[in-house]
Amino acid sequence: MSETIDIAALNGVKEGEKKRPRSKEKRLEIACQTVEARVRNYDEVALGYGPAEAVAESMRCLECPKPRCVVACPVHIDIPTFIGLISRGKFSQAAEDIRQYNNLPSVCGRVCPQENLCEAACIVNDTNPKNPIAIGRLERFASDWQLTHDVRDAASVHKRPATGFKIAVIGSGPAGLSCSADLAKMGHSVDLFEALHKPGGVLMYGIPEFRLPKAIVQKEIEYVKALGVTVECNVVVGRTLPVKEVLDSYDAVFVASGAGFPNMMNIPGENLNGVYSANEFLTRVNLMKAWKNDSAGTPIRKPRKAVVVGAGFTAFDVVRIALRLGAEEASIVYRRSREEMPGRGEEIEHSLEEGAKFVLLTNPVKYLGDENGFVRGVVVQKMDLGEPDSSGRRRPVPIKGSEYEIECDLVVVAIGQTPNVLIPSNLPGLATRWGSVIKVNRESYMTTVPKVFAGGDAITGAATVILATRAGREAARSMDAYVRDPARNWNPPA
Amino acid sequence: MYTITRKKVLASGVIEMGILAPRIAKAHKPGQFLMVMNREESERIPLTIADSDPATGEVTIVFLEVGRSTIELGEDFKEGDSLFAVVGPLGTPTHIEPFGTVVVMGGGLGVAPIYPICKGLKAAGNTVVTIIGYRRKDLMFWHDKLAGASTETIVTTDDGSYGSKGFVTDALKALHDGGRAIDRIIAIGPPVMMRAVSNLTQPWGIPTWVSLNTIMVDGTGMCGGCRVEIGKESKFVCVDGPDFDAHLVNWDEMFARMKVYTAEERAAILANHECKLHLDNIKR
């Protein structure tokens, strides 16, 4: 891999030179599409650093010897090292360094909540408050650079001799991709099965184009394929391929089927036309590309007044799509207050900039329909915050007699997802919690069924991309040990 | 790669297609469906599997050119072409056991999906009385195939141009009123037909099952677009069904939900036709 990068011209660190960090400088803001432009398209909002910006930002990093950012990172990426490589113009090498710890850096660089993790821990905050190194943006830069310059060469770096073990991975979301990539790097033969027609799982159907371009996701998957992983789409394990057949044909199986079952509130009127689960709304728009008016075959209802129930990541994605579909008004209806919102700071800010309204301390009670069965409004109830509940957040309590009506022609229920029951219900002996969340030993990721491991949202319920990535990685390590010594005393989950 | 192995026009707008999908052919059980995507950006449409052959790896679908994607599939795709994606078999298979006498009813296009069910029921030792109905004689298809899979077959046409005149419900009523002991009824066809069967059999107290074909996106339990109220509970047709106890279906809700994209669908079909007309003009 040769890179023709003139590091002197980029004001970085030349060969043989010592780095002189510029940590007193302000954090380099990322260019974004203007609000006026972006609400009319689905292109990525945050435009990303170019080489000059990336090097400039990387030059702020102290490359400290006891980096707190590494501790705060769920997968412990060697952050100072990769940033140092960027400072020295070794962009692809920086990406390769990240890939030792995280197989999806272009994805995580975009969707990881860095402000609560590595960047919150950055030592630069101590001397230059609120100006931590933009670690996420640098991760994204290095990985995007590599994916657009030299994927195949890079992938060959990792290959080890074939072990002869065959492993099946079910589900090609972040956990499945991460696990497959690591297993392939160890020299195992990996078959990755995906139920949908495109690999990527929630990265394809859940996260919108303007936050995570699908071309980037596919490039990350190309990298995983270049490592030798075979990806087969349109295979619903438990239907297309019996679970038993998979068990019989492989030395180990990793279940990473995600949390794809939408929760609804079970209130009157929820089956009216125009009331969507977040999963359906997002799948139509993101995976099926319903936003492309002309070419895509999948329709979506174009709202005038949209109501989104919930305030997590998903709710903000939905409200921003509703605005892009031309909604005059799009509101987040949330039963708690702004402080309790689980969504990411950046997403909340972007939503507000784009015109989303927040209707807080308010909860839907029922939906109202017109004579043709289409939603025309929602009756909501005001809430008060009481004592903290099990999540530590103050529990919302309905205020009697506070009901009122909000007019709307689209409702999206974004109150969470639970794992799909298809695999648990087709795998005798697989223990679950609450009927669908697969039980594993938290160290080995082993389930109650021999040679079956599980990770990602399938074992936690809906969580973040980085946690799923970590689960995939840790499970791969454990599965590697298992296939080499299956007779060892493997502790099943309690 | 999901190659179209056969294509045959069975009646006006009714098309039978064989598709190479060995995994689906091997795993298929009566009552299950598959999802088809014509092209990379097409919608995913659910179609019931009408037959399968594990030996050749072929599955058979029969569809009516009625919407944007089925028109495209029927008009633009020919033998030897490949479909972008076919996934299945999906849904819970039809419950089959020795019930005794089972009346299986197929209305119009519903004649195709009942074929594997009749075969399965007969193999399980049931007396299978099949009632199949068409609008006219020239729209008939597979009646001989169904006869081969059933103990007894009754054909109805709306105008009396073949078999007995009337609807499938008329034939069922005649059978019941004639004192025939019926242990179970399975009806597949247009929603109006299934609702009519349900209304007819409810007072008789005979278990009656229908196969719902609501609007779906993924078909694997992920989107919930197919949900419909069954006995006061919201169920997903794609995973909980497609077979449901007809007497528990909230038919009004289901009819309303079938129409959610009527406006968008009409616009899309018109747009496509205009494009084609435009092309024709250029060629001329």
Side-chain angles (χ1 to χ4, degrees), chain A residues 45-112:
Chain A
V45 167
L47 299 174
Y49 287 150
E53 291 164 304
V55 170
E57 180 63 18
S58 77
M59 288 303 292
R60 297 178 57 240
C61 178
L62 301 168
E63 296 179 35
C64 41
K66 283 186 185 165
R68 303 192 303 218
C69 54
V70 178
V71 179
C73 172
V75 294
H76 309 306
I77 293 173
D78 185 356
I79 294 165
T81 299
F82 97 74
I83 293 183
L85 288 164
I86 294 176
S87 296
R88 288 157 184 88
K90 297 180 167 141
F91 302 153
S92 281
Q93 213 178 313
E96 272 318 300
D97 202 79
I98 301 171
R99 283 180 192 281
Q100 292 180 56
Y101 308 93
N102 179 354
N103 287 303
L104 302 169
S106 277
V107 171
C108 292
R110 287 171 167 83
V111 303
C112 219

Side-chain angles (χ1 to χ4, degrees), chain A residues 158-421:
Chain A
H158 296 284
K159 284 293 281 186
R160 296 238 197 102
T163 60
F165 292 110
K166 279 179 71 186
I167 297 176
V169 176
I170 302 170
S172 66
L177 286 171
S178 159
C179 185
S180 301
D182 274 356
L183 290 168
K185 286 178 191 173
M186 293 164 184
H188 303 304
S189 156
V190 184
D191 288 344
L192 174 56
F193 297 108
E194 167 57 45
L196 290 167
H197 55 275
K198 285 263 179 190
V202 73
L203 308 175
M204 290 302 286
Y205 75 76
I207 305 177
E209 182 76 23
F210 53 79
R211 266 206 313 130
L212 179 63
K214 302 310 143 206
I216 290 286
V217 178
Q218 292 307 314
K219 279 200 180 114
E220 293 265 37
I221 293 166
E222 285 310 313
Y223 188 100
V224 175
K225 285 184 186 170
L227 291 168
V229 173
T230 308
V231 180
E232 192 179 346
C233 289
N234 304 315
V235 177
V236 184
V237 173
R239 288 275 186 246
T240 313
L241 208 53
V243 177
K244 192 179 176 302
E245 199 176 314
V246 177
L247 256 52
D248 292 347
S249 321
Y250 294 90
D251 297 299
V253 178
F254 184 59
V255 180
S257 45
F261 183 85
N263 293 342
M264 300 296 275
M265 291 174 69
N266 297 314
I267 58 173
E270 224 169 30
N271 287 0
L272 285 164
N273 289 340
V275 181
Y276 288 86
S277 73
N279 267 2
E280 178 180 6
F281 187 80
L282 291 172
T283 303
R284 284 179 180 272
V285 173
N286 301 334
L287 179 74
M288 306 309 296
K289 312 220 179 287
W291 55 273
K292 291 187 181 179
N293 281 328
D294 306 322
S295 59
T298 302
I300 187 88
R301 195 163 153 76
K302 302 267 192 304
R304 196 169 60 80
K305 289 192 171 184
V307 161
V308 183
V309 183
F313 289 87
T314 310
F316 292 102
D317 286 343
V318 169
V319 82
R320 297 173 71 191
I321 291 171
L323 289 162
R324 282 162 176 74
L325 287 172
E328 290 163 17
E329 201 175 293
S331 310
I332 293 265
V333 172
Y334 181 46
R335 62 195 182 129
R336 303 187 207 239
S337 69
R338 174 84 189 256
E339 284 70 56
E340 287 86 13
M341 280 187 174
R344 233 186 121 179
E346 188 180 278
E347 310 313 329
I348 297 174
E349 287 310 315
H350 280 162
S351 304
L352 285 170
E353 284 169 16
E354 290 169 12
K357 290 203 165 65
F358 290 173
V359 183
L360 304 173
L361 290 165
T362 303
N363 207 32
V365 178
K366 67 172 175 183
Y367 300 103
L368 307 170
D370 67 12
E371 64 282 6
N372 296 317
F374 283 79
V375 67
R376 64 170 176 82
V378 50
V379 175
V380 296
Q381 187 174 39
K382 291 200 169 174
M383 312 293 272
D384 217 346
L385 289 181
E387 294 301 307
D389 63 11
S390 58
S391 74
R393 296 176 299 177
R394 293 176 65 192
R395 195 169 61 88
V397 185
I399 302 173
K400 283 208 179 81
S402 66
E403 291 84 358
Y404 70 101
E405 200 183 311
I406 301 175
E407 187 201 340
C408 61
D409 56 358
L410 177 94
V411 173
V412 182
V413 182
I415 57 165
Q417 295 87 238
T418 46
N420 198 313
V421 296

